């Protein structure tokens, strides 16, 4: 299926296979070698997943064609309108008329149409590399939108450098991973602009309440990235001590809500029982937030963006400011992104191991997962054998040894996939972790260069 070019022929093939169960079975089993031991149900499931992948490629090609048509149609409608209605050529009337014309034809709002047109124009005029990958089915429309939207703050002359920095790996990245990559590249290409945009954004800090259906309301706080990390860390700490806290899987967001209500209630009601909120008083273990910054930027010799773990790139000035605060956890890297040092690791030796592993991986070690490593379990890649523990030798058959090389952060969901639900992990010689799925597919994950690498 991957050998078929994305286009009408691939779409026709997918349609035939999806509608004819016998044809799908014959196609799937024909691709299995005689020595294959996979059950037929697994083979057929894998084949259907391949059809979904093929549909995604066709969708990408259609999005590229649509963008080209939107851009050309907008230009031609604008020109035709200006020629037919001379007054429309002044004050942007022809452009507004063209957007209104397209909005009615596509049954879209004019705001949505304007966004569609702007995106199509940027893609077709400023992003030749992104456009090519989309046309070939290597990027999804969502990936292309991320690149176009995040790069909109750059000057035209900086866009080729941006594409050179992010496109090589873009087909392997999730949308959220690609967004982090692009934001980091934008901040590095335009550090002065990043600092100016941050300063302007700080002036927009706010807290707003929006009524919602079903007796609910949303509180939206717009804060600086470091302030948001402190707030969430404090709410997590308070939530752990609430007597009614739900310890179940996936309860973090609800527990934070409970903690926010509890702390505000205590502050407003002097008679309320606040004994279960020890985090209201300052302790010797403040909320730990990790900032990564290159040694050159820390010393003021460069203006590369720093990296706030759990958020992404931040301006160099803010990174230096946070690094000077002893309550933060700081990781310094060399130009290649290797960790040079760890500061204020307030743990016993086993906690220091965890700090090293989470600083190395940054996120859950499962491919495509973006859960911050600080919120993950630290798990053995090669399972630890409790009956015959390893001695520290990587080849020891007694079981996986407890070393930083064999430890990897995994969020609870992906930890459970590995422990209980049929996924296996293999540690390769270069430190890459191979994940084998129940369908027999293998996906690799490895620690990425630290975000502050040159």
């Amino acid at each position: 299926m991957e050998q078929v070019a994305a286009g009408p022929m691939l779409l026709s093939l997918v349609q035939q296979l999806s509608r004819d169960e016998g044809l799908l079975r014959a196609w799937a089993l024909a691709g299995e070698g005689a020595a294959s031991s996979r059950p037929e149900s697994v083979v057929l499931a894998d084949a259907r997943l391949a059809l979904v992948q093929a549909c995604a490629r066709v969708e990408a090609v259609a999005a590229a064609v649509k963008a080209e048509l939107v851009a050309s149609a907008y230009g031609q409608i604008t020109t035709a309108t200006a020629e037919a209605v001379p007054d429309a050529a002044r004050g942007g009337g022809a452009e507004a008329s063209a957007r209104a014309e397209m909005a009615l034809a596509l049954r879209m709002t004019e705001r949505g149409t304007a966004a569609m047109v702007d995106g199509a124009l940027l893609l077709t005029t400023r992003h030749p590399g992104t456009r090519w990958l989309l046309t070939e089915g290597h990027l999804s429309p969502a990936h292309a939108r991320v690149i176009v939207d995040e790069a909109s703050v750059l000057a035209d002359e900086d866009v080729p450098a941006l594409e050179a920095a992010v496109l090589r790996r873009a087909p392997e990245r999730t949308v959220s991973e690609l967004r982090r990559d692009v934001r980091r590249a934008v901040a590095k290409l335009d550090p002065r602009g990043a600092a100016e945009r941050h300063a302007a954004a700080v002036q927009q800090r706010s807290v707003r309440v929006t009524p919602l259906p079903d007796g609910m309301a949303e509180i939206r706080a717009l804060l600086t990235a470091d302030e948001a990390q402190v707030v969430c860390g404090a709410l997590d700490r308070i939530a752990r001590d609430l007597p009614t806290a739900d310890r179940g899987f996936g309860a973090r967001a609800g527990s934070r809500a409970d903690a926010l209500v509890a702390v505000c209630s205590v502050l407003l009601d002097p008679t309320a029982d606040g004994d279960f909120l020890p985090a209201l008083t300052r302790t010797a273990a403040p909320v730990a937030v990790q900032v990564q910054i290159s040694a050159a930027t820390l010393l003021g010799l460069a203006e590369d963006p720093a990296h706030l773990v759990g958020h992404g790139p931040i301006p160099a000035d803010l990174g230096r400011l946070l690094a000077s605060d002893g309550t933060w956890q700081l990781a310094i890297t060399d130009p290649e992104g290797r960790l040079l040092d760890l500061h204020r690791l307030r743990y016993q030796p086993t906690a220091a191991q965890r700090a090293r592993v989470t600083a190395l991986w940054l996120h859950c070690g499962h491919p495509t997962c973006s859960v911050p490593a600080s919120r993950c379990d630290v798990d053995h890649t090669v399972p630890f054998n409790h009956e015959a523990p390893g001695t520290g030798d990587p080849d020891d058959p007694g079981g996986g040894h407890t070393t930083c090389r064999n430890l990897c952060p995994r969020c609870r969901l992906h930890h459970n996939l590995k422990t209980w639900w049929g996924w296996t992990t293999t540690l390769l010689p270069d430190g890459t972790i191979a994940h084998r799925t129940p369908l027999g597919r293998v996906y690799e994950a490895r620690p990425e260069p630290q975000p502050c690498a040159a």
Side-chain angles (χ1 to χ4, degrees):
M1 190 70 70
E2 293 180 356
Q3 286 71 38
V4 181
M9 183 179 296
L10 179 60
L11 178 59
S12 175
L13 178 60
V14 169
Q15 288 177 320
Q16 292 179 45
L17 290 173
S18 63
R19 293 170 178 171
D20 189 330
E21 188 71 24
L23 183 61
L24 174 64
R25 182 177 180 277
W27 171 73
L29 295 178
E32 287 292 292
S36 175
S37 60
R38 294 199 301 172
E40 182 175 316
S41 60
V42 171
V43 174
L44 293 177
D46 193 34
R48 288 199 178 276
L49 181 55
L51 294 184
V52 174
Q53 291 176 296
C55 284
R57 292 171 58 205
V58 172
E59 182 183 19
V61 175
V65 173
K66 180 182 176 182
E68 295 170 7
L69 290 174
V70 165
S72 62
Y74 174 73
Q76 291 181 3
I77 295 171
T78 300
T79 300
T81 301
E83 292 175 351
V85 185
D87 288 345
R90 295 187 294 272
E95 291 81 0
S97 178
R99 289 192 294 270
E101 184 91 39
M102 297 176 74
L104 289 174
L106 298 174
R107 297 183 298 281
M108 296 174 61
T109 65
E110 292 192 25
R111 177 177 295 182
T113 302
M116 177 187 68
V117 168
D118 290 344
L121 291 173
L122 289 173
L123 177 66
T124 55
T125 59
R126 296 215 316 169
H127 294 274
T130 304
R131 177 183 175 185
W132 182 84
L133 287 174
L134 186 66
T135 301
E136 294 298 313
H138 299 311
L139 284 185
S140 76
H143 286 77
R145 279 195 298 272
V146 163
I147 296 173
V148 170
D149 292 346
E150 297 292 340
S152 62
V153 298
L154 291 177
D156 288 348
E157 57 267 23
D158 290 329
V159 173
L162 171 78
E163 292 202 323
V166 303
L167 289 188
R168 181 178 63 83
R169 298 186 61 203
E172 306 169 5
R173 310 291 272 173
T174 66
V175 171
S176 59
E177 288 173 336
L178 181 60
R179 181 177 287 108
R180 287 199 303 269
D181 294 344
V182 176
R183 287 181 177 175
R184 192 176 303 129
V186 167
K188 184 170 290 189
L189 288 167
D190 184 23
R192 183 184 298 274
E196 292 173 351
R197 290 189 294 273
H198 173 72
V202 167
Q203 303 305 313
Q204 306 301 318
R205 294 163 69 253
S206 63
V207 177
R208 293 187 173 90
V209 180
T210 303
L212 296 176
D214 304 319
M216 303 294 286
E218 179 181 68
I219 296 179
R220 177 170 297 185
L222 180 62
L223 307 172
T224 62
D226 54 303
E227 291 170 340
Q229 293 279 21
V230 169
V231 169
C232 286
L235 291 177
D236 286 342
R237 179 169 298 174
I238 294 169
R240 287 199 300 267
D241 296 307
L242 289 176
T244 58
D246 180 0
R247 307 294 181 182
F249 175 72
R252 178 182 295 268
S255 296
R256 281 179 176 171
D258 293 337
L260 179 62
V261 173
V263 70
C264 292
S265 299
V266 169
L267 291 176
L268 292 177
D269 184 359
T271 64
D273 180 10
D275 292 341
F276 54 87
L277 298 176
L280 283 176
T281 59
R282 191 167 182 82
T283 67
V287 175
V289 182
Q290 190 180 72
V291 179
Q292 296 195 343
I293 188 170
S294 69
T297 301
L298 183 64
L299 296 173
L301 303 177
E303 293 299 314
D304 293 334
H307 181 85
L308 182 62
V309 175
H311 170 76
I314 56 176
D317 286 343
L318 179 57
R320 283 190 286 264
L321 176 64
L322 297 178
S324 68
D325 183 349
T327 63
W328 291 75
Q329 198 177 97
L330 172 66
I332 302 176
T333 63
D334 68 6
E336 283 70 46
R338 293 185 293 264
L339 287 172
L340 293 179
D341 199 3
L342 288 174
H343 294 269
R344 294 192 62 81
L345 298 178
R346 300 173 290 273
Y347 308 102
Q348 297 300 319
T350 54
Q353 264 188 333
R354 177 186 176 91
R356 176 73 186 186
V357 170
T358 55
L360 176 66
W361 282 87
L362 296 181
H363 301 93
C364 170
H366 186 88
T368 76
C369 184
S370 297
V371 174
S374 59
R375 285 167 40 192
C376 294
D377 303 329
V378 174
D379 181 39
H380 291 75
T381 299
V382 179
F384 186 82
N385 189 329
H386 294 273
E387 296 180 357
T391 62
D393 180 354
D395 298 321
D396 176 22
H401 46 293
T402 305
T403 65
C404 289
R405 184 173 185 274
N406 190 46
L407 294 175
C408 176
R410 289 188 177 85
C411 69
R412 186 58 53 85
L413 170 62
H414 294 129
H415 192 170
N416 285 339
L417 283 180
K418 170 181 171 289
T419 303
W420 306 109
W421 299 331
W423 292 61
T424 59
T425 54
T426 303
L427 183 62
L428 304 182
D430 65 351
T432 297
I433 299 177
H435 297 71
R436 188 177 182 86
T437 78
L439 293 183
R441 297 187 173 202
V442 176
Y443 300 91
E444 294 184 351
R446 60 185 61 84
E448 298 180 18
Q450 296 296 306
C452 298

